[in-house]
Amino acid sequence: MTNQDLFSFPPTSKEDWIDQVKRDLDGKDFDDTLTSMLWEKIKIQPFYTAEDLKGPSAEFKFHPDSKIPEISPRIWNNLVSIFPKEDKSTNEEILHSLQNSADGLILHLEGTENLNQILKAVHTEFISTNFLPTGDISQFFHLIQEWIESLTLKPSMLSGAIFWNPCDELFRSGENFDLGMDQAVKAINDFKEFREFYPLTIDFSRYANAGGTGIQELTYGLGEVIEVIDKLSKKAISPSQAFENIAFHTGMGDSHFAEIAKVKALRKLIVELASNYGVQIEMDSIHIVTSTAEWSKSLMDRDTNLIRQTYEAMAGILGGGNSLWVKPVESKKASALEKRIARNISAILKEESYLDKVMDPAAGSFYLEKLQEEIEKSVISGLQDLEEKGGWLKSFEDLTLHAKIRNSRETAQKKVLSDSSIKVGANKYLSKSKIENHLPFQPLIEEDFELLPSRATYFVELNHLSDS
């Protein structure tokens, strides 16, 4: 090894480069020409150097090492959506998915299904089994407990999460938060032996899919975490127990590099938040589910949505998601082809793009590390402001939370409508004739307490598709 400098070029500072760029701009304003704003908070520079960072950052570890020898260092679950209908056909769909690249399920359950029939011949010890309640929550939990007891399921044979937390009840009905907290306590106690199963999931994605920025998504999502943990503490569930039983679900938007930094920032902020409660947790013990966003899709060009799904999935993997949920745009009405494409994206990114070969490929990027740092600062500032004004629950009750998300949503939708923000297939490069390659349009009708999923292209769709 030698310390000899093999290059004779003198060192050049970032300031020197900026001065040169300004001369090359020939009078044009540097900021107006080459910088941009991300999520209304963060200025994006045209380039970054080591000078932008406080020092070298450590590589993240997103999960423990595999127990199986020779497995690639980066592991994630490929989740597929299952909407049970008739028992036999649902079971066939599940088995077909698991035999064709899926290794995880998200079962959307009313609470009346026959899980023994639906999951017949499914070896839960080898997959990630996740449940998303769509009906009465107490009936749903009773169904899960009955299924576990009927199989005498050992704790080591179940991993995954329940995609629910008490705050969901507020967004469904505007009430029932206290009843939800009682159910959360019962769920934590019922599943205390199931160390790889999370009975609560904080849904950060609700803010992203309703039109909130990445900063708002993390701020209000972590606000939910604080609210839930504080309420659980009053019901004899310690912060340590709470963090052990909570998973985190974030939506991946179309700002590719920003989304990578956002997920990494979320993992770090969860560790710091736990530390504030006196709980020491390791980064690789946190379970984050990343899903493709509904907000970024367009009803006007279904084919372009497939491309969006792919780079959003990439961002979720590179950012450190432990489970990847590629959502078919047509949800429960998705065709067999759309389900197959959504399911295969993870396999292609693993087997053909080799995203599983390195634990943290984004480590060492000046741009991404600075972006992550800026995101963390903005979120911490937002959380401090939220807590000073009474906390997450207060912001829900006085609807300030809803107002801010809806303001961001409308601002983004107006930019697409005015063509100041480009969405391929919606306001750029769209069909010149009658639009045939589109999905059914339904107007968004939202109660005050709700935050329903929408799309950046909503106003454009309203003009072009509302009568089709």
Side-chain angles (χ1 to χ4, degrees):
M1 182 176 180
T2 178
N3 293 321
Q4 182 180 354
D5 186 358
L6 301 179
F7 303 98
S8 59
F9 301 110
T12 305
S13 68
K14 182 171 183 177
E15 186 178 357
D16 292 335
W17 279 112
I18 290 176
D19 289 340
Q20 181 60 51
V21 170
K22 287 179 178 178
R23 287 193 292 271
D24 291 343
L25 285 173
D26 196 24
K28 294 180 182 177
D29 184 80
F30 179 87
D31 285 343
D32 291 344
T33 308
L34 297 177
T35 66
S36 60
M37 291 298 294
L38 171 69
W39 297 331
E40 303 168 9
K41 293 280 187 181
I42 300 171
K43 180 184 283 190
I44 303 297
Q45 299 291 339
F47 67 96
Y48 293 83
T49 72
E51 294 178 41
D52 292 295
L53 304 176
K54 297 175 181 177
S57 299
E59 178 182 342
F60 277 33
K61 190 173 184 181
F62 304 131
H63 52 74
D65 296 332
S66 173
K67 300 173 185 176
I68 304 172
E70 306 302 322
I71 292 292
S72 293
R74 180 72 173 95
I75 304 168
W76 65 87
N77 296 310
N78 180 19
L79 307 183
V80 294
S81 304
I82 301 293
F83 298 90
K85 297 175 185 175
E86 188 269 328
D87 290 351
K88 188 173 184 295
S89 62
T90 301
N91 179 249
E92 289 174 351
E93 180 184 356
I94 288 172
L95 294 177
H96 175 77
S97 297
L98 295 176
Q99 290 163 2
N100 290 273
S101 83
D103 53 14
L105 307 171
I106 296 187
L107 294 162
H108 297 68
L109 301 177
E110 288 280 347
T112 58
E113 294 83 359
N114 185 337
L115 285 181
N116 287 311
Q117 291 300 314
I118 289 173
L119 293 172
K120 185 178 180 181
V122 174
H123 296 277
T124 57
E125 63 268 36
F126 300 121
I127 67 169
S128 174
T129 309
N130 303 272
F131 304 96
L132 195 158
T134 58
D136 180 77
I137 195 64
S138 59
Q139 187 176 0
F140 163 83
F141 274 102
H142 181 69
L143 173 71
I144 304 299
Q145 283 300 123
E146 273 194 337
W147 170 67
I148 290 174
E149 290 169 7
S150 69
L151 296 176
T152 320
L153 208 62
K154 295 179 181 178
S156 61
M157 297 174 68
L158 183 64
S159 64
I162 293 175
F163 280 50
W164 174 87
N165 81 80
C167 299
D168 295 354
E169 297 303 304
L170 288 171
F171 285 105
R172 285 184 184 182
S173 64
E175 51 191 22
N176 296 331
F177 184 64
D178 290 335
L179 290 175
M181 289 305 309
D182 291 338
Q183 182 61 70
V185 172
K186 185 177 185 305
I188 288 173
N189 289 325
D190 286 346
F191 289 96
K192 62 185 177 183
E193 303 297 329
F194 292 77
R195 306 307 300 166
E196 296 185 15
F197 188 80
Y198 301 86
L200 303 180
T201 301
I202 303 297
D203 186 10
F204 288 66
S205 74
R206 80 167 98 248
Y207 305 105
N209 286 324
T213 67
I215 302 297
Q216 290 173 325
E217 180 189 3
L218 295 197
T219 300
Y220 289 122
L222 288 169
E224 277 191 45
V225 177
I226 294 168
E227 199 70 53
V228 169
I229 290 176
D230 288 349
K231 293 292 188 295
L232 287 173
S233 296
K234 296 177 181 178
K235 295 179 179 290
I237 300 293
S238 69
S240 178
Q241 285 177 283
F243 278 105
E244 288 175 357
N245 286 277
I246 294 176
F248 307 88
H249 172 206
T250 179
M252 308 309 295
D254 53 7
S255 297
H256 180 70
F257 294 107
E259 296 295 337
I260 295 171
K262 182 188 79 176
V263 184
K264 294 188 72 174
L266 172 59
R267 189 175 293 272
K268 186 176 176 184
L269 287 167
I270 292 168
V271 172
E272 292 178 0
L273 178 61
S275 179
N276 290 339
Y277 280 99
V279 179
Q280 300 302 313
I281 59 176
E282 299 296 328
M283 278 193 182
D284 60 7
S285 69
I286 298 167
H287 188 79
I288 297 178
V289 179
T290 58
S291 65
T292 53
E294 296 166 67
W295 168 255
S296 62
K297 307 304 181 293
S298 167
L299 299 185
M300 296 180 65
D301 184 3
R302 71 174 78 193
D303 293 341
T304 305
N305 290 329
L306 303 179
I307 300 172
R308 296 186 178 111
Q309 283 181 333
T310 303
Y311 63 70
E312 289 170 9
M314 286 178 62
I317 294 168
L318 297 174
N322 302 102
S323 291
L324 173 64
W325 180 15
V326 179
K327 296 182 179 180
V329 177
E330 295 187 74
S331 192
K332 65 173 65 178
K333 296 180 180 179
S335 66
L337 177 61
E338 188 184 359
K339 291 177 182 178
R340 177 185 174 189
I341 291 172
R343 186 177 67 241
N344 284 347
I345 286 173
S346 176
I348 291 170
L349 293 176
K350 180 183 294 184
E351 304 297 339
E352 297 186 20
S353 299
Y354 305 115
L355 296 192
D356 64 331
K357 300 307 180 189
V358 178
M359 177 66 78
D360 184 10
S365 164
F366 299 146
Y367 171 41
L368 289 176
E369 291 191 3
K370 183 63 177 179
L371 198 51
Q372 178 188 329
E373 179 185 308
E374 293 294 324
I375 291 171
E376 290 168 12
K377 287 197 300 187
S378 294
V379 171
I380 290 170
S381 174
L383 279 171
Q384 290 171 341
D385 183 61
L386 186 65
E387 291 303 306
E388 286 172 4
K389 293 178 179 176
W392 182 91
L393 186 58
K394 177 70 165 57
S395 73
F396 179 93
E397 291 172 340
D398 62 22
L399 301 179
T400 55
L401 177 161
H402 303 72
K404 289 183 178 180
I405 297 292
R406 287 171 183 152
N407 180 64
S408 294
R409 175 169 73 196
E410 187 173 333
T411 299
Q413 289 169 337
K414 285 181 176 178
K415 286 181 179 179
V416 175
L417 182 63
S418 65
D419 293 346
S420 60
S421 179
I422 300 301
K423 293 290 284 186
V424 173
N427 64 357
K428 190 75 170 176
Y429 307 118
L430 65 163
S431 172
K432 296 290 193 294
S433 57
K434 178 177 171 59
I435 299 174
E436 296 181 355
N437 181 32
H438 68 82
L439 302 171
F441 175 84
Q442 291 291 334
L444 180 68
I445 302 173
E446 194 175 52
E447 297 282 353
D448 286 347
F449 57 80
E450 292 179 309
L451 276 181
L452 297 180
S454 187
R455 297 169 302 282
T457 55
Y458 180 80
F459 288 161
V460 177
E461 295 163 4
L462 189 64
N463 288 345
H464 289 84
L465 302 181
S466 56
D467 295 326
S468 59

